[in-house]
Amino acid sequence: MTDEVRALLGLWGGNVAAVQRELAERAALQSPQGGVPSLTTLRRAIRRDPIAGERAGLAGGEREARRHDVFLARPRGWRNQVWEADHVQAPVLVEVEGTAGRPWVTWFVDCATNTVMGVAVTPGYPSRESVLAALRASVLRQEPFGPQGGLPEKVRVDRGKDFLSKTVAAAFGALVVEVEDLPAYTPHLKGTVEGLNRAVESMFLASLPGYVRQPRPGRRPGRPKDEGLLDFEDFTSRLLGWVEWWNTCHLPQPLQGKSPLQAWEADPTPVREVSPEELWTFTLEDDGRVRVVSTRGVRFRRRDYVGPWMTGLAGTGVRVRFMPHHDHRIEVFDATTGRYLGAATVADEASPEQITAVRSARAARSRRLRKDLSAAQRERYATVTRPGKPERLGAVSAVEAGAELAEADRADLSRLALPDLIPPAAAPPGWRTPPSLAARTRRAAEDGGPAAQPGGREQEQGGGLR
């Protein structure tokens, strides 16, 4: 196994026959009488010299090579010493407002006891909001989150932008929690949460309707049209029920006959807790500005937010903290003392029916735009059987091309038109025109229009102003 053979084996993805042909072609170019090992000899050398992991890596890359590695197990430590966090997309189709989609699950798990500390479910793609919601559910020990909880000493995360956002980093810093950012594509470094991701699919999600990896009969398997899907509320309820079963009834082998929650409660390590008010403050995002309470409330992102506690506080400087993507509510704090004043909601919030209609209109407009853009960018080319330049299909006559270009020019000119370029004509002499309007009008005498003649079109028509 020379370096040349190793490079060719990686180039051809582990195809030994292709490597042997490449060697034969190179040998024929260098020396017609040059010897080349046979396919059997080459296979024997490849099976003998590289180890199994190296052969798998040359054929399938580093991920396949990692399957043959041996990993050391970390010591379990004590409760709340280290948590691991991750996002996982559930392989289950769930109905969300009439549309089938796959929700995302964000959770924190304790590495010492395998206890799921907190869960947050998002109908669409997760964000820093999902991380903050799951963090609050993990830290609080009140119903319905407890009895597990408290603050960890360290949290392991991958290089996800949601876990490394400024808001999440500020929350961990305020709670004095160390964040260990693992290298990319190293799932073996957070094996506890990765094992939970695999376990939830095989032990729970595979039995739900809408499971996308369910084996189907037929050559072209697909989801049956009459298959009933769970709605988002039902899916969330069942998932939280499974998490409770995992914490209280499941008996993992490393815990020696104890459930994760029993192992967590049996650990005598003190729990570092935080009050719900402080936790709510630390896990909100600050816009960084000082605002003033006016008679219309607090102005934030071009909206007015009001609350019953604002009575008598007009003119007070405040700071706004908010949950990302939750535009319907903000939390207001005193800008001088930092004291929490109360929550405020949108003053003229639209009804759910209006919001649904607006979203439907936006979706229809987006579909029309995508259709128009795809039609404009679609190019068809002729099929070739010999090497040559690509031939574009779709004949257009010179008349059609000229008409389309003229239409484009007219559209461009209409966008450049200035409605105030030509001032309006002056009013008739008998009218009382405001000075501001009279200064911006042109004299009717210069225009030669009928307004300059007292007996204009109205007298010609036999009418007149009386």
Side-chain angles (χ1 to χ4, degrees), residues 293-294 296-298 305-314 330 332 342-345:
V293 180
S294 66
R296 300 179 60 181
V298 177
Y305 290 80
V306 296
W309 52 269
M310 293 183 181
T311 303
L313 293 181
I330 60 175
V332 185
T345 57

Side-chain angles (χ1 to χ4, degrees), residues 130-417:
S130 307
V131 180
L132 296 176
L135 179 62
R136 282 200 297 269
S138 303
V139 174
L140 290 177
R141 301 188 65 185
Q142 302 174 349
E143 291 296 335
F145 307 109
Q148 72 275 7
L151 292 175
E153 299 178 15
K154 180 191 293 186
V155 174
R156 293 195 191 103
V157 299
D158 54 15
R159 301 193 64 85
K161 63 179 182 179
D162 305 324
F163 293 98
L164 300 180
S165 63
K166 294 182 180 180
T167 304
V168 177
F172 282 130
L175 298 173
V176 196
V177 176
E178 179 185 356
V179 178
E180 182 179 357
D181 182 21
L182 301 176
Y185 305 106
T186 55
H188 58 282
L189 296 181
K190 52 183 182 69
T192 304
V193 71
E194 292 293 342
L196 179 63
N197 293 340
R198 294 190 297 268
V200 69
E201 180 175 356
S202 60
M203 301 174 66
F204 170 64
L205 298 177
S207 63
L208 297 180
Y211 180 61
V212 297
R213 297 172 185 154
Q214 181 71 30
R216 307 285 185 183
R219 295 184 179 181
R220 299 182 63 182
R223 186 171 64 91
K225 296 182 179 179
D226 57 346
E227 181 181 15
L229 301 179
L230 299 175
D231 57 13
F232 181 73
E233 182 179 0
D234 194 5
F235 171 80
T236 305
S237 177
R238 295 192 185 193
L239 178 64
L240 295 180
W242 181 85
V243 170
E244 183 179 359
W245 172 87
W246 171 276
N247 286 341
T248 58
C249 301
H250 182 52
L251 304 177
Q253 184 179 1
L255 298 183
Q256 301 177 355
K258 294 182 181 179
S259 66
L261 186 57
Q262 290 176 343
W264 192 89
E265 292 181 327
D267 194 322
T269 305
V271 178
R272 187 163 58 102
E273 298 187 52
V274 61
S275 65
E277 293 77 13
E278 293 178 339
L279 182 64
W280 178 255
T281 302
F282 293 150
T283 54
L284 292 176
E285 187 170 338
D286 194 338
D287 70 334
R289 294 177 52 187
V290 177
R291 304 173 186 273
V292 177
V293 180
S294 66
T295 56
R296 300 179 60 181
V298 177
R299 189 71 175 177
F300 177 68
R301 290 183 176 177
R302 296 181 296 179
R303 298 190 182 116
D304 292 322
Y305 290 80
V306 296
W309 52 269
M310 293 183 181
T311 303
L313 293 181
T316 304
V318 296
R319 298 181 69 94
V320 172
R321 298 180 67 89
F322 59 95
M323 173 65 73
H325 312 298
H326 286 242
D327 299 333
H328 62 283
R329 169 174 169 163
I330 60 175
E331 307 295 331
V332 185
F333 298 80
D334 191 282
T336 304
T337 62
R339 182 173 59 91
Y340 176 66
L341 298 178
T345 57
V346 180
D348 54 346
E349 185 176 3
S351 64
E353 293 77 10
Q354 291 175 321
I355 296 176
T356 303
V358 170
R359 290 176 178 173
S360 301
R362 290 177 180 175
R365 181 181 59 191
S366 178
R367 287 193 299 268
R368 289 195 302 269
L369 180 60
R370 287 197 300 267
K371 183 179 179 180
D372 295 340
L373 292 178
S374 62
Q377 298 177 359
R378 186 183 299 117
E379 296 288 350
R380 296 187 180 276
Y381 295 89
T383 305
V384 299
T385 56
R386 296 181 181 180
K389 295 183 179 180
E391 180 183 355
R392 183 178 298 172
L393 299 179
V396 180
S397 66
V399 176
E400 293 174 343
E404 188 167 348
L405 292 176
E407 181 65 26
D409 292 340
R410 285 195 296 270
D412 293 339
L413 292 176
S414 65
R415 285 192 295 267
L416 296 175

Side-chain angles (χ1 to χ4, degrees), residues 14-30:
N15 190 336
V16 183
V19 173
Q20 200 271 343
R21 288 194 301 269
E22 184 81 11
L23 292 175
E25 293 176 1
R26 293 185 180 184
L29 293 176
Q30 296 175 0

Side-chain angles (χ1 to χ4, degrees), residues 88-133:
V88 59
Q89 188 178 22
V92 177
L93 291 175
V94 176
E95 184 177 353
V96 180
E97 294 185 351
T99 305
R102 295 172 55 183
W104 286 79
V105 181
T106 305
W107 44 24
F108 289 81
V109 57
D110 181 52
C111 296
T113 62
N114 286 14
T115 305
V116 179
M117 306 302 296
V119 187
V121 187
T122 311
Y125 288 102
S127 62
R128 61 189 186 276
E129 172 206 356
S130 307
V131 180
L132 296 176

